[in-house]
């Protein structure tokens, strides 16, 4: 079970993703964007990590989405192999048309626009934001490769770090379609799972608090929070009692365990 | 009401324009027709009083970093030079940076005569071939915008007024 962790110029946290992959018992290696794209077919799953690919030139994910390696990734997605895009990886998957992928023709159906934090109907903040956030798993179990082991309503506390995570779309029926088809995987919520639209619960102004979505088949997941930064208990914030608890693990581990389980079940 | 247009460009190498050019040539097949790509930021500021020429100089001090940028001011319309197709890209969702600039000019610097601030990027596509505007449209839709948040206009060479194609 071998996972390719994609690496574009400007990617970060790829090493954390690789460690996470190996910690849950999968094999993995970094896959640089300029390697022969056909070599991707030797892998069982893929992670597109976060960062600033190509320095976010034009807009986040736009340049990386044009790389030949993304055409190869599209072919691998069609084979039902799991792909998890994290933060900038999510942005790349959106710009390449892999997510939400409801038309099946690679059309760019949504954008992850600049953060707009709204409270009491006023814009209170804009731009890059870093924090630990609560997200709720809003899909059914086994719906999506990256949340395969999660139940509906499960809460995870995972950090975010982005300036462009505000999901917007001009496709009028898209959000309804995503809801109807169970493609909304994660929503920003408070510590009790309530999804109020206001900052700081909705950290970036994203439509319907959406933090992560999958494609119709469920094998491709994009999420703005960084599970690899919450994989080990020692990565948790100091106020979290699990941080110093013996044997505790971080909530982000579940994303990688889910990917492994998805591959086991679908192989 | 007068409109002050500030066209701002880098006098140091523009890495973003270079990346766009490389992507169009190496990844998107425009090597035969694309000679160069340059980029300008465009600030359009509506004022209801004051001398636009003097205001343009003051606003430029706020919006232009003369250590790395240069600018040209024009009023009401804009004349673009020959040799390229200007493609104006702007957010069609709320533009937080433009709003912040307006608040800065009005509330922190005291220019209550500022009524509207709009911000855009003008991509200058140096295209060869018989139908450069058609190629520019393809490039805009293929790379320069995400239609879910951006709009674009292919501007006439002579004036902002003549709009050849637009996506709203």
């Amino acid at each position: 079970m071998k996972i390719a962790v994609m690496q574009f110029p400007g990617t970060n946290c790829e090493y954390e993703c690789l460690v996470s992959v190996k910690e849950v018992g999968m094999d993995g290696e970094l896959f640089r964007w300029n390697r022969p794209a056909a070599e991707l077919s030797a892998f069982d799953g893929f992670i597109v990590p976060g960062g600033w690919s190509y320095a976010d030139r034009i807009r986040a994910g736009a340049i990386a989405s044009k790389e030949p390696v993304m055409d190869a990734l599209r072919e691998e997605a069609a084979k039902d192999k799991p792909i998890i895009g994290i933060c900038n990886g999510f942005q790349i998957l959106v710009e390449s048309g892999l997510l939400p992928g409801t038309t099946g023709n690679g059309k760019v159906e949504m954008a992850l626009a600049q953060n707009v934090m709204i409270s009491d109907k006023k814009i209170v903040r804009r731009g890059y934001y870093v924090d630990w956030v609560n997200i709720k798993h809003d899909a059914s179990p086994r719906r999506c490769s990256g949340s395969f082991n999660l139940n509906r309503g499960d809460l995870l506390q995972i950090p975010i770090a982005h300036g462009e995570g505000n999901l917007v779309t001009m496709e009028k029926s898209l959000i309804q379609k995503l809801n109807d088809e169970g493609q909304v995987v994660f929503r920003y919520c408070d510590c009790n799972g309530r999804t109020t639209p206001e900052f700081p619960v909705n950290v970036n102004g994203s439509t319907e608090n959406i933090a992560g979505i999958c494609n119709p088949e469920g094998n491709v997941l994009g999420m703005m929070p960084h599970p690899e930064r919450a994989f080990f208990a020692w990565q948790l914030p100091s106020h979290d009692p699990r941080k110093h608890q013996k044997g505790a693990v971080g909530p982000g581990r579940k994303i990688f365990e889910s990917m492994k389980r998805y591959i086991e079940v679908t192989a | 009401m007068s409109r002050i247009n500030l066209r701002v460009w880098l006098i140091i190498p523009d890495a973003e324009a270079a990346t766009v050019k490389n992507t169009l040539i190496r990844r998107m097949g425009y090597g035969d027709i694309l000679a160069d790509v340059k980029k300008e930021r465009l600030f359009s500021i509506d004022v209801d009083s004051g001398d636009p020429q003097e205001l343009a100089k003051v606003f430029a001090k706020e919006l232009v970093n003369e250590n790395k940028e240069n600018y040209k001011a024009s009023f009401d319309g804009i004349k673009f030079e020959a040799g390229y197709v200007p493609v104006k890209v702007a957010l069609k969702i709320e533009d937080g940076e433009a709003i912040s600039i307006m608040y800065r000019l009005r509330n922190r610097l005291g220019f209550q005569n500022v009524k509207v601030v709009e911000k855009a990027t003008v991509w200058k596509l140096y295209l060869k071939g018989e139908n450069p505007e058609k190629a520019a449209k393809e490039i805009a839709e293929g790379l320069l915008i995400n239609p879910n948040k951006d709009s674009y206009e292919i501007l006439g060479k002579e004036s902002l007024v003549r709009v050849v194609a637009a996506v709203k």
Side-chain angles (χ1 to χ4, degrees):
Chain A
M1 199 180 295
K2 197 170 182 183
I3 306 301
V5 178
M6 310 302 294
Q7 190 184 45
F8 294 96
T11 293
N12 72 17
C13 282
E14 65 269 49
Y15 290 95
E16 289 88 336
C17 285
L18 192 56
V19 167
S20 302
V21 160
K22 291 180 177 176
E23 280 288 323
V24 298
M26 298 189 284
D27 193 9
E29 68 180 61
L30 297 182
F31 194 100
R32 288 171 70 85
W33 84 102
N34 53 2
R35 258 174 80 171
E39 291 179 13
L40 274 181
S41 63
F43 293 86
D44 303 301
F46 311 89
I47 294 175
V48 189
W52 289 265
S53 60
Y54 292 94
D56 283 354
R57 286 170 190 160
I58 306 185
R59 61 189 175 277
I63 301 292
S65 73
K66 305 299 180 193
E67 291 289 354
V69 78
M70 292 308 297
D71 292 330
L73 210 53
R74 206 172 280 112
E75 289 173 18
E76 298 307 311
K79 298 175 191 169
D80 286 335
K81 292 183 182 178
I83 301 174
I84 299 176
I86 299 165
C87 196
N88 186 232
F90 185 13
Q91 294 160 338
I92 294 169
L93 295 178
V94 166
E95 287 288 338
S96 63
L98 270 161
L99 286 173
T102 61
T103 62
N105 62 8
K107 185 182 175 192
V108 179
E109 300 169 88
M110 53 176 264
L112 290 162
Q114 287 83 353
N115 295 347
V116 181
M117 292 74 160
I118 297 168
S119 180
D120 199 18
K121 297 181 181 173
K122 289 179 187 164
I123 296 171
V124 293
R125 186 175 174 144
R126 292 189 177 88
Y128 193 78
Y129 192 69
V130 180
D131 202 358
W132 285 82
V133 299
N134 296 294
I135 55 173
K136 179 169 73 174
H137 184 240
D138 212 21
S140 53
R142 303 163 76 94
R143 174 69 180 88
C144 167
S145 63
S147 66
F148 206 73
N149 290 351
L150 295 175
N151 293 312
R152 189 188 295 277
D154 281 355
L155 300 180
L156 305 176
Q157 196 184 29
I158 293 182
I160 58 157
H162 62 254
E164 298 177 37
N166 170 14
L167 191 157
V168 295
T169 179
M170 292 296 146
E171 305 281 334
K172 286 179 183 167
S173 60
L174 180 67
I175 299 299
Q176 188 61 49
K177 197 171 180 180
L178 295 180
N179 284 323
D180 291 345
E181 300 296 324
Q183 286 180 250
V184 177
V185 180
F186 294 114
R187 293 184 202 270
Y188 300 109
C189 64
D190 65 14
C191 59
N192 297 310
R194 285 188 294 260
T195 54
T196 53
E198 303 240 310
F199 180 78
V201 172
N202 187 350
V203 285
N204 53 25
S206 186
T207 303
E208 294 194 6
N209 290 43
I210 294 173
I213 60 169
C214 67
N215 65 342
E217 295 76 17
N219 59 317
V220 182
L221 166 70
M223 58 189 295
M224 290 311 298
H226 282 265
E228 80 284 4
R229 296 184 189 176
F231 186 90
F232 298 103
W234 57 261
Q235 292 174 298
L236 296 171
S238 54
H239 59 76
D240 193 311
R242 292 171 295 181
K243 187 175 180 75
H244 303 292
Q245 199 177 316
K246 196 173 181 185
V249 296
R253 184 183 181 101
K254 291 178 179 173
I255 304 300
F256 298 92
E257 288 175 338
S258 288
M259 184 185 212
K260 183 186 178 194
R261 185 67 187 144
Y262 175 86
I263 294 171
E264 289 170 346
V265 168
T266 57
Chain B
M1 188 82 75
S2 300
R3 168 157 285 207
I4 300 166
N5 295 298
L6 294 178
R7 293 169 60 186
V8 182
W9 64 92
L10 285 170
I11 52 177
I12 60 173
D14 186 339
E16 185 173 39
T19 300
V20 168
K21 180 182 173 184
N22 280 341
T23 302
L24 290 169
I25 290 174
R26 291 174 53 228
R27 302 295 187 221
M28 298 178 71
Y30 288 98
D32 291 340
I33 61 168
L34 184 71
D36 203 1
V37 176
K38 292 182 181 175
K39 184 193 76 188
E40 293 179 357
R41 289 188 298 148
L42 173 63
F43 299 98
S44 298
I45 303 166
D46 289 352
V47 293
D48 66 356
S49 62
D51 178 358
Q53 298 212 15
E54 288 304 313
L55 287 170
K57 290 177 191 169
V58 178
F59 295 159
K61 283 185 180 171
E62 293 302 318
L63 300 173
V64 180
N65 183 339
E66 292 185 350
N67 295 296
K68 61 175 184 174
E69 293 173 323
N70 204 346
Y71 78 98
K72 187 186 286 184
S74 61
F75 306 95
D76 299 321
I78 301 178
K79 287 184 179 176
F80 288 98
E81 302 76 15
Y84 62 86
V85 180
V87 181
K88 179 186 167 191
V89 175
L91 282 176
K92 62 182 175 186
I93 59 173
E94 188 180 56
D95 188 338
E97 188 184 349
I99 292 169
S100 296
I101 291 169
M102 187 177 76
Y103 285 151
R104 176 155 49 118
L105 294 176
R106 282 177 61 89
N107 302 338
R108 292 172 68 179
L109 299 171
F111 292 101
Q112 294 298 319
N113 50 347
V114 172
K115 298 303 173 191
V116 176
V117 174
E118 293 174 356
K119 178 183 68 65
T121 300
V122 177
W123 294 96
K124 297 156 70 172
L125 305 176
Y126 292 78
L127 290 158
K128 300 173 276 187
E130 291 185 356
N131 197 341
E133 288 186 350
K134 183 179 175 223
K137 186 173 184 291
E138 282 177 10
I139 288 170
E141 293 176 7
L143 181 65
L144 301 180
I145 69 157
N146 180 323
N148 293 287
K149 69 183 182 77
D150 303 312
S151 64
Y152 78 93
E153 297 173 23
I154 296 178
L155 303 170
K157 291 184 180 65
E158 295 301 319
S159 167
L160 259 177
V161 176
R162 189 171 75 89
V163 177
V164 176
V167 172
K168 293 289 181 189

